[in-house]
Amino acid sequence: MNKKLDFYKDEFVKDLFGEIKPEEPSNQFTNRVMDRVMQDWLANPIEVKKPISRTQWLISSGLIFLVCMILLATDVRTLISNIDHPFFNQLDAVLLQPLHHILNKVFISLINLPIIVYVILIAIASLAAFDRIITKLLQFRHY
């Protein structure tokens, strides 16, 4: 029974809208719609989080490298362990001693790498820099 009822509804709808032709919008329709979209967009702009810039990456990695070098070169652990205070003793035991141990192992393992690894790393970095320079030159040439 539902199928028959749906069938009649479809026929009724077909008969009802069969003679109606779609209307063409006015010439200014698109302009008005786009103006409304722009007004909505200006009223509620979409905020896009920018990724971390190259400068911020360089500064962050430089600071991390500097902290690692200070920890390795000056042996901050020895300086802090000489201070007789519970906070500094805990800081040395929990943070500085394991960090110093890890950094020493990393440094020793980097020293023991074969020279060819460093040559390959320099070659890859040079190719990446060359590719970036050529890409910039080609983009500049097109404009």
Side-chain angles (χ1 to χ4, degrees):
M1 181 151 181
N2 286 341
K3 289 183 181 179
K4 273 189 170 183
L5 190 59
D6 289 340
F7 176 75
Y8 289 120
K9 284 184 180 178
D10 288 341
E11 287 297 321
F12 173 74
V13 171
K14 287 178 186 177
D15 290 339
L16 183 64
F17 291 109
E19 298 174 3
I20 300 174
K21 295 181 182 176
E23 293 183 19
E24 291 293 323
S26 68
N27 292 336
Q28 296 298 319
F29 175 76
T30 304
N31 290 338
R32 280 189 254 136
V33 170
M34 290 308 295
D35 286 342
R36 287 183 187 162
V37 169
M38 284 301 290
Q39 288 172 359
D40 287 345
W41 183 74
L42 290 174
N44 300 320
I46 299 171
E47 294 182 24
V48 177
K49 276 190 165 182
K50 293 184 178 179
I52 298 175
S53 69
R54 184 180 312 140
T55 307
Q56 291 172 331
W57 274 114
L58 288 173
I59 290 171
S60 300
S61 60
L63 286 174
I64 291 171
F65 180 75
L66 182 67
V67 166
C68 290
M69 286 298 109
I70 288 172
L71 285 173
L72 280 174
T74 60
D75 199 12
V76 173
R77 196 181 133 266
T78 307
L79 295 173
I80 289 184
S81 65
N82 290 336
I83 300 172
D84 193 23
H85 191 274
F87 173 75
F88 290 113
N89 292 337
Q90 189 70 17
L91 180 69
D92 180 43
V94 172
L95 180 67
L96 295 177
Q97 191 174 20
L99 186 62
H100 184 72
H101 183 68
I102 290 170
L103 288 176
N104 274 335
K105 282 194 171 196
V106 168
F107 189 69
I108 289 170
S109 64
L110 287 175
I111 289 174
N112 292 334
L113 284 176
I115 298 294
I116 191 70
V117 173
Y118 296 112
V119 171
I120 291 171
L121 286 174
I122 291 171
I124 290 172
S126 300
L127 285 173
F130 180 73
D131 179 57
R132 184 153 178 90
I133 290 168
I134 294 300
T135 304
K136 289 287 185 180
L137 286 174
L138 289 175
Q139 286 176 352
F140 179 73
R141 184 175 244 185
H142 284 28
Y143 294 113

